[in-house]
Amino acid sequence: IRLKAIMTQGNEYVDKGCDYHEKNDFKNAINCFNKSLEINPNYKFAYINRATTYTKLKEYQNAINDYSKVIDLDTNWADAYRFRGLTYYDMDLYNEAISDFNVALQLNNMDAYSYYVRGAAYLMNKVQGSAIKDFVSASIIDESYVNKISESTNINLMSVMDILKKLPYLSEQETSNVIQLIQEMSDEDLGLPINPQESVKDNVVISQKSIRKIDL
């Protein structure tokens, strides 16, 4: 997560904290965010930036607490659910991660990154159909995810993208409609075995070791 992409609203201490964070000086970054919160205990931008810094220190529970505070302050901020979901993923709490990405995608259904990481969480939970649908959805929004997914898992999406390339240019609304159709597909529609005991096709075999190391 790049801190500069998160709004600071011109707050002096948050600005300084972001600068420290970019220099990997996480201790001073947190001190700055703390000072901002001493002035305004309900300043959501200080909380979300401090949470992001806590994740760099692998202080995941502190990060969860701060992201949760942000959500209390602004229930419609998709990024807060997205970042908290990623933190849950780092904690191996995949159900919690999926739940947060569900909300993030309800608020912004064109977020390729959230589909991508939710797909990774589904893979870790061995929910293959949902993972594939999320990976395809991410790739429709941003084609660069095709190679990222293929490199990190045994799932090959090239055939899907070959089909999509033959379609005419899709507007954002049309893309959203295609994604909705994909998300509503059944495992049978995806060509997955109905009986979970059956072996899965070669191109959707999962390597949990590799997916856990996925570059998020």
Side-chain angles (χ1 to χ4, degrees):
I1 302 169
R2 291 174 175 79
L3 218 60
K4 287 185 177 179
I6 302 175
M7 293 176 64
T8 65
Q9 294 288 295
N11 180 282
E12 178 183 359
Y13 285 116
V14 174
D15 285 340
K16 286 182 179 179
C18 290
D19 288 339
Y20 279 125
H21 181 105
E22 292 297 315
K23 297 173 183 176
N24 295 324
D25 187 348
F26 302 127
K27 180 178 180 180
N28 277 321
I30 288 175
N31 287 338
C32 287
F33 301 138
N34 289 344
K35 289 178 181 178
S36 175
L37 289 168
E38 287 173 7
I39 297 170
N40 182 357
N42 292 320
Y43 193 55
K44 66 181 183 180
F45 298 105
Y47 281 112
I48 200 164
N49 283 288
R50 188 174 70 174
T52 306
T53 304
Y54 277 135
T55 64
K56 291 293 185 179
L57 295 170
K58 300 189 185 303
E59 295 184 21
Y60 295 130
Q61 190 56 56
N62 285 334
I64 292 295
N65 293 342
D66 276 358
Y67 286 133
S68 297
K69 179 64 176 180
V70 174
I71 291 168
D72 287 341
L73 294 169
D74 186 350
T75 58
N76 293 317
W77 196 1
D79 280 347
Y81 294 99
R82 183 196 211 217
F83 295 150
R84 191 174 70 174
L86 179 57
T87 305
Y88 278 132
Y89 183 94
D90 287 335
M91 298 170 73
D92 300 335
L93 297 174
Y94 304 119
N95 289 331
E96 289 83 350
I98 290 167
S99 179
D100 270 353
F101 285 119
N102 288 344
V103 180
L105 288 165
Q106 287 173 4
L107 295 169
N108 177 15
N109 74 334
M110 293 293 286
D111 181 4
Y113 183 81
S114 288
Y115 283 116
Y116 174 59
V117 187
R118 189 177 71 174
Y122 276 130
L123 274 188
M124 296 306 294
N125 275 354
K126 300 182 180 180
V127 186
Q128 299 170 3
S130 295
I132 292 169
K133 289 187 287 188
D134 276 355
F135 287 151
V136 172
S137 298
S139 300
I140 291 172
I141 299 168
D142 183 345
E143 192 173 328
S144 68
Y145 280 94
V146 175
N147 291 333
K148 186 180 292 188
I149 291 162
S150 297
E151 290 169 2
S152 302
T153 73
N154 290 19
I155 295 177
N156 184 355
L157 299 179
M158 296 308 296
S159 59
V160 175
M161 297 310 296
D162 286 342
I163 295 172
L164 293 171
K165 285 178 182 178
K166 296 175 183 177
L167 295 175
Y169 172 78
L170 297 177
S171 67
E172 182 171 318
Q173 183 58 54
E174 289 169 333
T175 301
S176 177
N177 291 340
V178 170
I179 289 172
Q180 183 176 347
L181 289 173
I182 289 168
Q183 291 293 321
E184 292 173 353
M185 291 175 68
S186 66
D187 283 359
E188 186 176 11
D189 293 332
L190 293 169
L192 294 176
I194 303 303
N195 186 340
Q197 300 302 317
E198 294 180 28
S199 60
V200 186
K201 291 183 178 180
D202 288 342
N203 69 331
V204 293
V205 172
I206 298 166
S207 170
Q208 286 202 327
K209 184 176 181 182
S210 64
I211 191 67
R212 192 63 193 90
K213 295 180 180 178
I214 197 167
D215 181 11
L216 301 176

